[in-house]
Amino acid sequence: MKLLLNLKAQSFLKFWKISNRYLSVRSRHDGCLEPVKLAYATYEGTMPEQETHQNPFLIMHGLLGSKSNWNTLCKVFQQKTEPSRKVIAIDARNHGDSPHDPHFSYELLALDLKNFFENAGIEKACIMGHSMGGRTAMLFALKYPELVEKLIVVDISPVSTSSDISVMPGYLHAMNNINIPSNIPLSRARLAADLQLAESGITDKGLRAFLLTNLIQNQNGSFVWRVNIPDMLMNFDNIKRFPYEMGTVFNGPTLFIGGSSSDYIMKKDIPEIKKIFPNSEVKYIEGAGHWLHSEKPSEFLQITLEFLNGSNTS
C-alpha cells in the first residue's frame, strides 16, 4: 500500500505548540481487550482560547505511517480553519510513538479512538483519516455518530479493497528481514536498509524512503522498526477489509476524496458508499494517486478546507 512520507514531528516556533504525550486508559475488564495509550501531537495558534469553543479536528494516518506524516498539513489546517480549530494528529496502536500490542483490528483501532475522546474530554470532533486511518474513522463514525461532527475519508472505501493491499505482507516481510550492524550512524543504517529493501524487490524509491522513516536506533546502538511488524503480519487479515455491519449508517456530513490515478475509491462503488454514508459526497483529485495529500497538497487543502469551513448539512 502506498502511503505518505514525512519525518518525525518537531517543535514549532512561537506560532505553534506541539505536545506529544500519552493519555491514560481505563482498567482492563475481564474478557475485554484493552485500549492502548495513544500518542498524539496538538497544533494550536497563538490564541488557543479562541479554539476552545470549536470542536477539534483529528487526523489519523495510514498503515505504516505516523502522526508526523501530517506535520506540515496540520499547521495549515490550524491556520486556515474558520472558526479556528485545535488540530490533533494521532498515532495508531503499533505505529509511531504509540505502544505495540499483539492485537490489531479496526474494532480495536476504533476502541482506542473512543478511549482517546473520553480521556481528552472531547465531546465531538471533525475526523479525517487516510487509508487505514480512513477506515478507522468510518467505523468510529458508524459506532459513535454522536461524537462526529464531520468526517473526511482519504482514498479508501468501505466497499472495495484495492489490489495494492495484497503486496503489503511482502513489504512487511522485507522490513522484518533487514540486517543492520549496531553502532553506526543512522544515515548509514538507512542506506544499508534501503539497499536491502531494493534487493528484496521494492523498486519504488519513494516507497522505500517512506518505509525507512520507521527505522530508529535504540540506546544500545541497535536498529529497530518503530512499527510492530510481527503482530501486524499475524493480524493482517483483520485490516484487509472493512468490517461493515449491514444496515449501519452515519448520517453526518461526510467527504470522500480519492486520487484519479488510484483504485482505492472506485466510481462503481459510489452508490453503495452513499447507502452507508447518505450525507456524503465523493471528489477526485486529477492526476493524484494514493498519496494525494502529498502529491497534490494545494488541491487537497482546498477541497478539505471548503468542507471543514462550510456549514453543516443534513
Side-chain angles (χ1 to χ4, degrees):
M1 183 184 292
K2 302 174 182 175
L3 300 163
L4 180 65
L5 297 175
N6 221 318
L7 299 175
K8 192 172 183 179
Q10 300 177 352
S11 297
F12 294 112
L13 297 177
K14 58 183 178 180
F15 296 112
W16 306 101
K17 299 175 183 178
I18 299 184
S19 56
N20 292 287
R21 53 196 182 267
Y22 293 108
L23 290 175
S24 60
V25 296
R26 293 171 294 182
S27 59
R28 183 169 182 161
H29 299 284
D30 291 340
C32 297
L33 293 174
E34 184 181 12
V36 303
K37 306 172 183 179
L38 296 178
Y40 64 101
T42 61
Y43 300 71
E44 299 178 77
T46 55
M47 301 180 67
E49 64 275 7
Q50 294 181 350
E51 300 164 356
T52 59
H53 301 296
Q54 302 302 322
N55 294 325
F57 180 36
L58 275 58
I59 299 177
M60 308 185 69
H61 61 78
L63 188 66
L64 296 180
S66 71
K67 61 185 181 300
S68 58
N69 294 159
W70 293 84
N71 182 24
T72 300
L73 289 177
C74 282
K75 292 187 284 185
V76 180
F77 280 123
Q78 195 286 318
Q79 283 184 321
K80 295 193 174 183
T81 49
E82 297 176 357
S84 181
R85 298 179 188 266
K86 177 188 292 187
V87 178
I88 305 173
I90 298 173
D91 277 338
R93 64 168 59 204
N94 295 322
H95 291 75
D97 297 320
S98 285
H100 289 188
D101 189 273
H103 305 287
F104 192 53
S105 68
Y106 285 118
E107 289 84 354
L108 284 169
L109 292 169
L111 177 64
D112 292 341
L113 185 58
K114 175 66 159 51
N115 193 73
F116 182 92
F117 269 62
E118 292 175 357
N119 285 279
I122 298 173
E123 296 181 357
K124 202 166 194 175
C126 297
I127 305 178
M128 178 168 69
H130 171 244
S131 199
M132 178 190 78
R135 283 188 164 172
T136 302
M138 284 189 285
L139 184 60
F140 182 85
L142 291 168
K143 284 180 170 290
Y144 314 107
E146 70 282 1
L147 300 180
V148 182
E149 177 189 343
K150 294 183 178 183
L151 174 66
I152 302 176
V153 180
V154 183
D155 210 52
I156 198 72
S157 168
V159 181
S160 296
T161 298
S162 168
S163 58
D164 284 353
I165 194 70
S166 62
V167 303
M168 279 306 303
Y171 296 159
L172 291 167
H173 280 296
M175 294 169 70
N176 208 35
N177 291 333
I178 294 297
N179 185 15
I180 304 172
S182 300
N183 297 309
I184 63 173
L186 181 59
S187 58
R188 283 184 56 195
R190 283 183 171 160
L191 285 173
D194 183 62
L195 178 61
Q196 292 177 55
L197 289 174
E199 290 175 345
S200 73
I202 303 177
T203 57
D204 188 320
K205 185 176 180 180
L207 175 59
R208 295 198 308 270
F210 166 73
L211 297 176
L212 290 171
T213 62
N214 288 295
L215 186 67
I216 59 174
Q217 190 169 24
N218 282 332
Q219 290 184 346
N220 63 8
S222 64
F223 292 92
V224 296
W225 299 104
R226 64 177 179 175
V227 287
N228 184 0
I229 294 174
D231 288 316
M232 289 169 68
L233 277 169
M234 186 172 62
N235 293 281
F236 190 73
D237 285 347
N238 292 336
I239 56 172
K240 280 171 58 177
R241 58 186 60 86
F242 184 65
Y244 175 62
E245 184 177 335
M246 190 65 66
T248 309
V249 299
F250 173 67
N251 289 305
T254 304
L255 171 66
F256 287 83
I257 312 174
S260 69
S261 300
S262 170
D263 68 346
Y264 278 79
I265 303 178
M266 291 185 272
K267 291 184 178 179
K268 69 179 180 63
D269 292 336
I270 292 178
E272 289 300 315
I273 290 173
K274 288 184 174 290
K275 289 180 182 179
I276 306 171
F277 299 93
N279 190 17
S280 66
E281 55 182 324
V282 182
K283 294 187 176 182
Y284 292 91
I285 297 179
E286 193 64 32
H290 189 55
W291 296 5
L292 62 171
H293 44 304
S294 61
E295 296 169 9
K296 302 280 186 177
S298 296
E299 294 88 338
F300 180 78
L301 283 166
Q302 180 180 349
I303 292 172
T304 50
L305 285 168
E306 284 179 355
F307 178 76
L308 284 170
N309 294 340
S311 59
N312 287 356
T313 58
S314 58

